[in-house]
Amino acid sequence: MSYKDQIDLQRLPRHVAVIMDGNGRWAKGKGKLRVFGHHNGVLSVRDVVEGAGILGIEYLTLYTFSAENWSRPTFEVNAIMELLISTINKEINKLMENNVRLNAIGDLEQLPAKCHRELKNAIDRTSGNTGLVLTLALSYSSRREIVNAAKALALKVRSGELKPEDIDENTFEDNLYTGGMPNPELLIRTSGEYRISNYLLWQIAYAELYFTTKLWPDFRREDLYEAILDYQKRERRFGMTSEQVN
Ligand code: FPP
């Protein structure tokens, strides 16, 4: 039986977050430039997005480019930005066909103007879709996101819109880039690295973590399904005892 057939559709994670890692090593292992790995990583993105939509996952959030990634060689940064633009343009019709709503989080102003513009156009075009919400984390830093939320709250307090005593976890959460989205129940990281790398630090407080040694360009929807099956075998206790949960 395939992994997909074993999944209990009544107990799907609503939100799956992914750290797509290992493109560079994948390419290097084949004697190619790192950029070749990113190009092949797009094929994995396409397959996983389609697989998540078919299964009925509501939110898929992909760590596409971190704020720290700006320090990579200019050639590689430019290639990723070009790839982003060409992928959005190539995939937009498919996203419409599959009812996917595109979204982005991060310091988007930092993106090259063309990239920002094309991204915004694609987000606008898909804004009426009601299926999977595909969020790309771009120029993203979770610590910066948290600091920005604190600043936004401070401004609301200063303007009298909010009282300090009214700030709680919900108001804080609403001021993150992900405000309005459920928190991820499952976080997947590929490539055998066991780190969070400044990704969704607040949002993954109770997420189940799943690590695989597969490099991102080798990761396909069946691997996503395997991760979801593993997630369904775990007992999520949220600080309670096993007896209470059962
Ligand atoms: C991590 O591998 C991957 C990235 C920093 C870029 C991710 C980008 C893509 C998959 C392509 C663009 C995506 C979309 C949605 C259009 P790495 O380079 O850090 O690999 P390494 O750890 O082996 O060096």
Side-chain angles (χ1 to χ4, degrees):
M1 203 161 41
S2 72
Y3 290 124
K4 180 167 180 277
D5 295 334
Q6 297 172 58
I7 292 175
D8 176 354
L9 297 176
Q10 304 307 315
R11 291 193 305 118
L12 285 180
R14 290 185 68 196
H15 185 172
V16 178
V18 185
I19 302 177
M20 310 184 285
D21 196 14
N23 292 351
R25 275 165 285 163
W26 186 88
K28 214 170 159 198
K30 292 185 158 32
K32 306 266 194 187
L33 293 177
R34 296 175 54 79
V35 170
F36 181 69
H38 298 317
H39 276 266
N40 280 274
V42 173
L43 305 181
S44 300
V45 170
R46 185 188 294 154
D47 196 63
V48 167
V49 169
E50 208 165 278
I54 287 170
L55 197 65
I57 298 293
E58 292 174 65
Y59 297 86
L60 179 68
T61 302
L62 304 177
Y63 206 177
T64 307
F65 194 82
S66 72
E68 292 78 19
N69 285 153
W70 291 115
S71 318
R72 291 194 176 191
T74 313
F75 169 75
E76 184 174 343
V77 170
N78 290 344
I80 294 177
M81 293 302 140
E82 287 295 328
L83 191 57
L84 191 65
I85 297 172
S86 65
T87 305
I88 289 170
N89 289 333
K90 240 188 266 167
E91 299 297 323
I92 183 79
N93 289 335
K94 194 93 186 151
L95 295 179
M96 292 305 291
E97 214 176 281
N98 292 338
N99 198 19
V100 175
R101 179 152 67 85
L102 186 65
N103 180 33
I105 55 172
D107 191 358
L108 305 180
E109 303 290 327
Q110 292 284 315
L111 297 173
K114 183 164 191 251
C115 194
H116 193 192
R117 201 170 49 240
E118 305 268 349
L119 179 68
K120 211 172 158 303
N121 286 343
I123 290 173
D124 288 346
R125 256 193 80 185
T126 63
S127 62
N129 291 347
T130 54
L132 175 75
V133 178
L134 169 63
T135 301
L136 304 181
L138 287 164
S139 189
Y140 177 84
S141 152
S142 184
R143 285 186 171 180
R144 199 174 297 169
E145 175 184 33
I146 291 169
V147 169
N148 284 345
K151 269 191 203 159
L153 289 170
L155 288 173
K156 285 178 195 171
V157 168
R158 191 166 69 179
S159 71
E161 191 187 326
L162 189 70
K163 292 204 228 44
E165 56 272 29
D166 291 338
I167 297 174
D168 60 12
E169 290 185 14
N170 291 327
T171 38
F172 200 91
E173 206 157 80
D174 289 345
N175 283 273
L176 294 171
Y177 300 139
T178 51
M181 284 162 71
N183 287 318
E185 297 96 329
L186 173 62
L187 171 71
I188 299 171
R189 182 173 189 145
T190 59
S191 92
E193 304 287 355
Y194 302 94
R195 285 188 295 276
I196 302 301
S197 302
N198 203 7
Y199 191 44
L200 302 173
L201 298 178
W202 171 288
Q203 296 89 336
I204 60 163
Y206 284 101
E208 296 294 331
L209 308 182
Y210 180 88
F211 297 99
T212 168
T213 53
K214 272 209 177 171
L215 304 175
W216 178 250
D218 289 328
F219 194 91
R220 287 293 184 273
R221 71 182 75 183
E222 268 302 297
D223 300 296
L224 170 72
Y225 296 156
E226 186 177 9
I228 292 174
L229 255 185
D230 188 88
Y231 159 85
Q232 292 191 331
K233 289 189 190 124
R234 302 189 193 180
E235 183 183 63
R236 308 189 73 218
R237 288 199 295 276
F238 302 100
M240 293 185 282
T241 66
S242 192
E243 291 70 25
Q244 284 175 306
V245 173
N246 293 316

